[in-house]
Amino acid sequence: MPGSGCPPAAASTCWRRRPFDWTDEDLAIGLSRTFRWGGHSTWPGAPLSVAQHSLAVLALRRAKARGGLAQAEARRELLHDAEEGLLGFDCISPLKPFLGTGFAALQDRLSAAVALRYALPAWTPEAKRVHKSCDIALAAAEAVHVAGWTREEVRGTLGIRAAVLAADPLAALYDSEPWRPWPPELAAERFLISLKRLSPG
């Protein structure tokens, strides 16, 4: 990764030696160039980045929060997929069983390093439940509005039971076209701004 001496391909060894050897900029770039849905998109030349997805989950979670989210809780939402930016890989669900326990353990180690680096609070059962409802709702919406699945396929093939959101939670915040994936440079910039705002101290 730029400036860190720790390319994504070496994540399994590099972060075991130096678990904080990345910058916020590295993370933002990694997430902006890591694509959901295997890079598939109905938008010409525009796959959806994990950076944009992470901002959408945060926005939806804030909309559902009664009384607002504490800064640390918001930071945890923003960084819920941060290990994917360090790996440069968002594994599609059907592939995960074939990667086995080694891949799951690597994800867990990177997630733990992210949690320590950014002082993320542990998930409570209720916080995890509400987070997952937002994450799954975004997955259903992305499947239809970005990846081109039908609503029937979302339920029958993907097994996602959440209703498909019509409104993009980021459209009003960024005055952007609903559900259009952002260019990586823009996604990185917006993710980094949000991360800096939410960082402790």
Side-chain angles (χ1 to χ4, degrees):
M1 289 187 172
S4 69
C6 189
S12 62
T13 56
C14 182
W15 278 293
R16 187 164 55 237
R17 293 197 314 269
R18 297 180 295 183
F20 297 150
D21 196 14
W22 74 85
T23 66
D24 292 345
E25 290 77 9
D26 289 337
L27 182 59
I29 290 170
L31 287 169
S32 74
R33 297 178 183 177
T34 301
F35 301 121
R36 287 177 61 78
W37 304 101
H40 292 278
S41 174
T42 60
W43 298 86
L48 178 69
S49 72
V50 177
Q52 185 172 347
H53 165 79
S54 299
L55 286 164
V57 170
L58 172 58
L60 188 58
R61 179 67 184 88
R62 277 177 163 157
K64 289 179 175 288
R66 296 176 181 175
L69 283 179
Q71 180 170 299
E73 293 175 307
R75 189 167 63 249
R76 182 178 61 195
E77 293 291 341
L78 181 66
L79 294 169
H80 76 277
D81 280 335
E83 80 283 352
E84 294 173 2
L86 301 178
L87 284 169
F89 177 49
D90 178 13
C91 183
I92 58 175
S93 296
L95 182 59
K96 286 183 179 180
F98 296 96
L99 296 181
T101 58
F103 179 71
L106 173 57
Q107 285 187 301
D108 289 344
R109 288 198 300 271
L110 292 176
S111 295
V114 168
L116 187 60
R117 161 77 175 267
Y118 293 103
L120 303 184
W123 292 100
T124 65
E126 176 60 13
K128 189 69 172 180
R129 183 191 67 78
V130 180
H131 161 75
K132 289 300 293 182
S133 72
C134 294
D135 201 20
I136 291 170
L138 260 301
E142 292 166 0
V144 171
H145 298 302
V146 178
W149 295 81
T150 67
R151 284 167 169 76
E152 292 74 22
E153 288 170 335
V154 169
R155 292 181 66 84
T157 304
L158 298 179
I160 301 175
R161 304 301 182 194
V164 175
L165 298 173
D168 179 353
L170 297 178
L173 288 174
Y174 293 98
D175 191 24
S176 57
E177 184 176 356
W179 304 111
R180 176 181 286 276
W182 302 333
E185 294 77 12
L186 183 58
E189 177 186 350
R190 288 173 171 174
F191 181 92
L192 184 60
I193 288 171
S194 185
L195 179 57
K196 298 266 186 206
R197 286 175 178 165
L198 294 172
S199 292

